[in-house]
Amino acid sequence: MITEPKKRFNTAEHLVHTTKKNQARFDFNLRFPKMPSYLRRAAIQHSLGSVSSYKTRLELWKKMDKKGGTPKLVCGNHAMPVFYRDVMYREDTEEKDGAYLKLYDGHDWKWFRVSLSHTDMEYLRKYWAGKRAAAPVLEKRHRKYFLRFSYTEEVPLTKAPVKEQIICSVDLGINTDAVCTIMRSDGTVLGRKFIDFPSEKDRMYRVLGRIRRFQREHGSVQVKSRWAYAKRLNTELGRKIAGAVAGYAEENHADVIVFEYLETKGKISGRKKQKLHLWRKRDIQIRCEHQVHRRGMRISRICAWNTSRFAYDGSGTVVRDPGNHSLCTFQNGKRYNCDLSASYNIGARYFIRELLKPLPATERSLLEVKVPSVKRRISCVYADLRELFSEMELLRAA
């Protein structure tokens, strides 16, 4: 019932912690003797957050006419402790790859020395020296415990005007992992690259084949470890794709990386159902976003409708090859790579949006009369950008 966060926290601490002036109502101190104050306060704060979240979800559930299952207050949140510096964590001054943690040995809280991976510590010293470090957090993965180190750095993102920007438009696909196009605002294409990792995908598909055969013979109960291995292979593939995209954009001095806003909802059916389920499109974009922000670049997303359906030269819809979906035929008979055409359209839609957005309504209406196709963004293609830019230059000259 207490609305003020600080007062709520102090009241909760008084309920469990006995001091000279306060007598606790619950036997928390007896169950967890000599617990460090930082750890106790972190636990209280996490508990208050869990209860607050539960109450919010319960109110929303009541407002939605009690549709779906009733929200439950889950007590076992598996929250991991933060080892605050100096009081719970300190570095080993004698050996570089060691640290001291304050842990409970069953009777008392004592300092224990732990050895850290040499390669991990070398990585932190090489790439994160001088950055503001946060307190390490305990993490449990694959039945092992790790320390997760977090760092904060401030990187100014590029503020180049739209007409001076160089972008890297990316079409993420299933057949080809990514197709990148380096483009200027007038439609000049400075570079193109097909990013693909066939050996990694082949390894993953072989593992999926073994899982399929194993399930046929023994059922689906005993294949958890095999699915975990396939998931790790897929995660690693996503990391490599994101790294390759970010590296290519930096190599060409791009200011912005443009992705499609990909959202697949509903039931997926068809021959490529499993491939679509394993497609880590959002994960690749998020990883890429983290990497390029550290390099001073920006991320932008455009509507994905019809980017692959329409030909980049404005000739209309394309016809995909039934045997090879990466290739297509334009209405004028031209044979072209469908993903490359889509990457041109992605870059064009970004520039059309950014060029028209700051213009006054009268000027924008005049341009839309001269280039009617830019009125409907989901049907814009690369040819429309070239025409729009020419009209803008003519209007400025006049």
Side-chain angles (χ1 to χ4, degrees):
M1 304 303 290
I2 303 170
T3 55
E4 189 184 344
K6 191 174 180 181
K7 191 177 179 182
R8 183 194 301 161
F9 173 81
N10 290 337
T11 305
E13 190 172 30
H14 288 155
L15 291 173
V16 297
H17 182 55
T18 300
T19 61
K20 198 172 183 180
K21 297 180 179 179
N22 178 67
Q23 181 62 41
R25 286 179 58 187
F26 301 99
D27 57 349
F28 184 86
N29 286 350
L30 294 174
R31 295 191 181 194
F32 306 98
K34 298 182 181 179
M35 177 181 274
S37 59
Y38 282 93
L39 190 58
R40 182 186 67 247
R41 286 168 184 165
I44 292 169
Q45 197 66 57
H46 182 84
S47 305
L48 289 171
S50 298
V51 174
S52 177
S53 172
Y54 162 71
K55 290 198 171 185
T56 305
R57 286 183 285 114
L58 189 64
E59 289 299 320
L60 286 172
W61 177 72
K62 288 177 182 176
K63 286 180 182 178
M64 296 293 288
D65 298 327
K66 299 184 179 181
K67 291 180 181 178
T70 313
K72 294 181 180 178
L73 179 61
V74 180
C75 297
N77 291 310
H78 306 288
M80 291 294 173
V82 177
F83 285 93
Y84 295 97
R85 293 182 182 274
D86 299 329
V87 291
M88 294 192 69
Y89 168 86
R90 65 171 186 238
E91 295 176 356
D92 191 349
T93 53
E94 297 177 1
E95 293 188 29
K96 291 195 292 185
D97 301 332
Y100 284 93
L101 301 177
K102 203 166 193 180
L103 304 171
Y104 189 63
D105 66 350
H107 302 285
D108 200 0
W109 290 82
K110 295 180 181 178
W111 288 99
F112 290 90
R113 188 187 180 282
V114 293
S115 297
L116 304 174
S117 170
H118 175 72
T119 53
D120 290 347
M121 297 306 292
E122 282 296 311
Y123 170 81
L124 294 180
R125 283 190 283 267
K126 183 178 179 181
Y127 294 104
W128 295 96
K131 306 292 189 298
R132 197 169 70 215
V137 180
L138 192 69
E139 191 175 86
K140 186 181 182 183
R141 283 185 298 164
H142 313 308
R143 300 181 183 178
K144 291 182 180 179
Y145 287 96
F146 301 87
L147 282 177
R148 186 177 73 241
F149 292 87
S150 324
Y151 292 84
T152 305
E153 64 174 340
E154 291 184 8
V155 179
L157 300 182
T158 178
K159 294 182 179 178
V162 180
K163 290 200 172 181
E164 297 176 14
Q165 283 180 4
I166 298 173
I167 68 163
C168 176
S169 57
V170 184
D171 179 63
L172 297 176
I174 298 174
N175 300 313
T176 305
D177 292 328
V179 179
C180 304
T181 301
I182 306 297
M183 190 184 294
R184 288 188 184 275
S185 60
D186 60 351
T188 306
V189 175
L190 304 176
R192 303 172 296 183
K193 186 176 183 181
F194 291 81
I195 295 171
D196 204 18
F197 294 93
S199 58
E200 281 79 358
K201 284 193 286 189
D202 184 56
R203 186 181 299 117
M204 189 175 67
Y205 293 147
R206 275 182 14 225
V207 170
L208 292 173
R210 287 202 292 268
I211 290 171
R212 199 156 43 242
R213 290 191 295 272
F214 186 88
Q215 285 187 161
R216 219 177 283 135
E217 294 177 15
H218 305 284
S220 58
V221 180
Q222 302 173 355
V223 291
K224 286 184 179 179
S225 59
R226 286 175 168 82
W227 272 115
Y229 178 57
K231 186 180 177 182
R232 290 197 294 272
L233 287 175
N234 200 26
T235 304
E236 185 60 27
L237 177 62
R239 287 177 184 152
K240 287 185 176 180
I241 296 167
V245 170
Y248 182 67
E250 185 183 30
E251 185 184 316
N252 288 275
H253 310 289
D255 299 298
V256 184
I257 295 182
V258 186
F259 289 107
E260 295 173 297
Y261 182 75
L262 296 168
E263 191 68 47
T264 50
K265 292 183 179 179
K267 191 176 181 181
I268 300 171
S269 58
R271 287 190 304 113
K272 293 192 175 181
K273 181 170 67 172
Q274 190 178 58
K275 285 186 178 181
L276 282 167
H277 276 299
L278 293 169
W279 189 25
R280 299 178 66 83
K281 53 192 182 302
R282 294 291 295 160
D283 181 55
I284 292 167
Q285 291 189 16
I286 291 167
R287 288 182 186 279
C288 194
E289 185 174 355
H290 292 162
Q291 292 182 29
V292 300
H293 279 174
R294 287 200 64 203
R295 303 173 192 189
M297 291 180 272
R298 293 182 182 273
I299 289 285
S300 186
R301 291 180 177 85
I302 58 101
C303 178
W305 288 10
N306 300 325
T307 51
S308 301
R309 188 183 173 206
F310 291 129
Y312 78 93
D313 61 355
S315 58
T317 57
V318 302
V319 180
R320 293 218 187 200
D321 284 14
N324 185 358
H325 275 245
S326 295
L327 297 176
C328 63
T329 306
F330 294 176
Q331 294 292 332
N332 54 17
K334 183 192 288 186
R335 299 264 296 160
Y336 211 75
N337 186 284
C338 196
D339 297 332
L340 184 59
S341 174
S343 72
Y344 286 175
N345 292 340
I346 291 166
R349 285 192 189 179
Y350 167 78
F351 275 125
I352 289 170
R353 182 184 69 196
E354 296 301 316
L355 288 170
L356 290 176
K357 189 165 57 174
L359 295 179
T362 52
E363 193 175 340
R364 192 187 312 159
S365 302
L366 186 62
L367 287 168
E368 287 175 352
V369 168
K370 293 184 176 181
V371 191
S373 52
V374 299
K375 283 183 180 180
R376 200 160 183 260
R377 196 75 50 75
I378 60 171
S379 60
C380 291
V381 294
Y382 174 74
D384 299 328
L385 172 65
R386 299 297 297 261
E387 191 179 352
L388 176 68
F389 193 86
S390 301
E391 292 294 339
M392 289 181 76
E393 291 298 305
L394 289 171
L395 191 65
R396 186 172 285 102

